[in-house]
Amino acid sequence: MLVGALKPGMVTEADVYDDDNNLLVPRRTALTDKLISRLKYYEVDVIDVLGEGAFVKAPVIDDETYKKNSYFGNFRKTKEFVEYKARFDESASELKGQINSIIEENAPIDTDEMLHMVGNLLDMAEDKHSVYDMLHAMRDYDDESFAHMINVSLICTVFARWMKMGPEDTELLTLCGLFHDIGKAQTPLEILKKKGPLTQEERELIQQHTLKGFQILKKANVDTHIQNAALLHHERFDGSGYPLKLRQNNIDPFARMVAIADVYDAVTSPRSYRDAMCPFQAIEIFEDEGLQKYDTRMIMVFLQNVVNTYIQRPVKLSDGREVRIVEIHPDWYSKPLVETQSGKFFDMRDKELRKLHIVEIL
């Protein structure tokens, strides 16, 4: 069954593993909201569940369903977003053309042009809204890979500010994000867009995009950090990543930041086989697992600043209630102080309330 169609209470028929063959959910396990979010976080597409066929037709999410009672749905109607989406589509096409020229014709990378492109998108996003509002409202890309690369570059630019990096390093991190997945341009589209489960051979082929990207960028003679970001953005601080199983400070610092931006955009963006994950669901999983897998200082700065963008924002809880975020707790970002529609305040850190999750930004 497609992970996007899973419901709490369904039971796994077989063990579920991630791309590195780490066990995510054992067989005969009743799924919960948190376990389903875990599967989405690790970009698992399909699993077998008891009493169900292995595959179902992907749910169709029409615009009216998406827009109903949705902050981001209404935001998509604004003039600012329409103009941003048009510019974004042009930029994705421009990036695709440049990458194809780099690979097929050995064309040089015009870093100034690429930085100008990202800068224009950032200026448009920050003129009246946040970058994160723009990114979460985006969907229906013509090409997910190139759109994802632009998203990661935008996130990296803002992340660099949060980390108080200087102008040169900020530009360098932006380029690291923009070209981190360049190796996927040499991965067959039928594998990248496959709806069903990948074979071990297909997983290994996709994982080769890190080495291919490094080779392309090395040949293009760009900065070493940009090369390393392509090679190492799937490495993890605890040594569980790939391709080299590096640990901690052996991972290039720019690649560490790209890794966080890469995962955050991947799980909070919609895909053909699943809905986008709510930012707070992604943050909750980062809190559960990210402190071991990512640079602690970097991930804490990232999470703190992301959640602060949602203060005073209405959200929906896993029990269906609609509340407003009043205060973010530095010791537990995914469990804020919230206010109900009747004016009652409650702290999601309280023992009896910890089972609740924020599932939607309204």
Side-chain angles (χ1 to χ4, degrees):
M1 172 173 280
L2 289 169
V3 168
L6 293 175
K7 302 294 183 185
M10 290 181 174
V11 178
T12 57
E13 184 174 352
D15 292 337
V16 183
Y17 296 87
D18 65 11
D19 288 344
D20 297 313
N21 290 320
N22 298 311
L23 181 64
L24 297 179
V25 183
R27 64 192 296 268
R28 301 295 193 271
T29 298
L31 292 171
T32 62
D33 284 325
K34 195 166 186 177
L35 286 176
I36 294 171
S37 294
R38 179 180 172 86
L39 293 172
K40 292 178 180 178
Y41 174 81
Y42 282 99
E43 298 190 72
V44 176
D45 302 347
V46 178
I47 70 169
D48 293 331
V49 295
L50 291 176
E52 297 283 347
F55 299 94
V56 295
K57 184 178 180 181
V60 177
I61 308 171
D62 58 46
D63 280 346
E64 291 307 313
T65 300
Y66 183 79
K67 291 175 182 176
K68 186 178 180 181
N69 297 323
S70 167
Y71 169 83
F72 292 115
N74 292 326
F75 178 59
R76 281 170 54 85
K77 302 175 185 177
T78 65
K79 177 183 177 183
E80 291 85 2
F81 177 78
V82 172
E83 291 176 349
Y84 179 85
K85 179 65 165 63
R87 177 67 63 83
F88 188 99
D89 290 343
E90 291 176 5
S91 299
S93 178
E94 181 180 345
L95 176 63
K96 184 175 182 178
Q98 171 144 159
I99 287 178
N100 287 338
S101 296
I102 294 167
I103 294 173
E104 297 171 7
E105 303 169 13
N106 294 322
I109 295 178
D110 189 337
T111 55
D112 289 339
E113 181 183 347
M114 293 293 97
L115 287 169
H116 181 69
M117 177 193 76
V118 175
N120 281 341
L121 287 171
L122 193 65
D123 290 342
M124 289 183 71
E126 293 185 328
D127 185 29
K128 296 182 182 297
H129 303 277
S130 83
V131 173
Y132 288 87
D133 280 352
M134 287 293 189
L135 296 186
H136 292 315
M138 296 285 287
R139 55 198 288 266
D140 300 330
Y141 305 120
D142 290 332
D143 193 308
E144 293 173 356
S145 295
F146 293 100
H148 170 65
M149 291 162 73
I150 294 176
N151 286 352
V152 172
S153 71
L154 290 166
I155 293 172
C156 281
T157 307
V158 178
F159 194 2
R161 295 177 187 169
W162 294 341
M163 293 293 293
K164 303 187 185 307
M165 297 172 74
E168 290 185 3
D169 282 346
T170 297
E171 289 186 350
L172 184 55
L173 184 64
T174 299
L175 293 170
C176 287
L178 191 61
F179 290 105
H180 79 285
D181 262 352
I182 190 173
K184 283 189 175 178
Q186 294 186 326
T187 303
L189 280 178
E190 61 267 22
I191 295 178
L192 290 176
K193 296 189 174 185
K194 184 177 179 180
K195 300 296 193 299
L198 297 174
T199 65
Q200 183 62 30
E201 183 180 358
E202 288 169 338
R203 281 197 181 94
E204 291 174 357
L205 188 58
I206 286 181
Q207 289 182 359
Q208 289 175 16
H209 81 276
T210 56
L211 182 57
K212 290 178 179 178
F214 173 76
Q215 292 169 338
I216 293 168
L217 293 169
K218 186 176 182 179
K219 190 175 182 179
N221 198 31
V222 296
D223 189 280
T224 302
H225 290 297
I226 302 176
Q227 298 175 32
N228 287 340
L231 179 65
L232 306 177
H233 66 277
H234 283 288
E235 298 288 357
R236 296 295 178 258
F237 238 45
D238 60 0
S240 64
Y242 67 86
L244 303 177
K245 300 292 183 183
L246 299 182
R247 289 176 174 269
Q248 300 187 14
N249 292 335
N250 290 322
I251 306 170
D252 185 296
F254 286 79
R256 293 180 227 163
M257 295 180 70
V258 171
I260 294 170
D262 173 53
V263 171
Y264 182 80
D265 182 66
V267 300
T268 57
S269 296
R271 293 293 182 260
S272 57
Y273 50 84
R274 62 160 171 81
D275 296 346
M277 185 185 293
C278 170
F280 275 88
Q281 292 173 299
I283 289 164
E284 189 169 359
I285 296 173
F286 267 129
E287 287 181 323
D288 287 347
E289 303 180 357
L291 298 186
Q292 292 76 43
K293 292 182 178 294
Y294 303 93
D295 183 302
T296 303
R297 183 175 71 94
M298 291 177 178
I299 192 66
M300 294 303 288
V301 168
F302 183 82
L303 295 181
Q304 177 186 11
N305 282 276
V306 168
V307 296
N308 283 342
T309 65
Y310 295 107
I311 293 176
Q312 300 301 320
R313 199 59 84 70
V315 297
K316 180 182 286 186
L317 302 181
S318 51
D319 64 358
R321 278 186 290 177
E322 296 181 3
V323 298
R324 179 175 62 89
I325 295 175
V326 177
E327 182 181 344
I328 300 294
H329 302 303
D331 60 331
W332 205 340
Y333 294 130
S334 61
K335 304 295 182 185
L337 178 70
V338 299
E339 181 184 12
T340 67
Q341 292 178 329
S342 62
K344 180 182 178 181
F345 293 85
F346 65 87
D347 192 333
M348 292 181 66
R349 295 177 302 177
D350 292 348
K351 188 173 182 180
E352 62 273 18
L353 299 173
R354 291 177 188 175
K355 64 181 179 180
L356 294 176
H357 312 281
I358 297 172
V359 298
E360 186 180 354
I361 309 294
L362 298 174

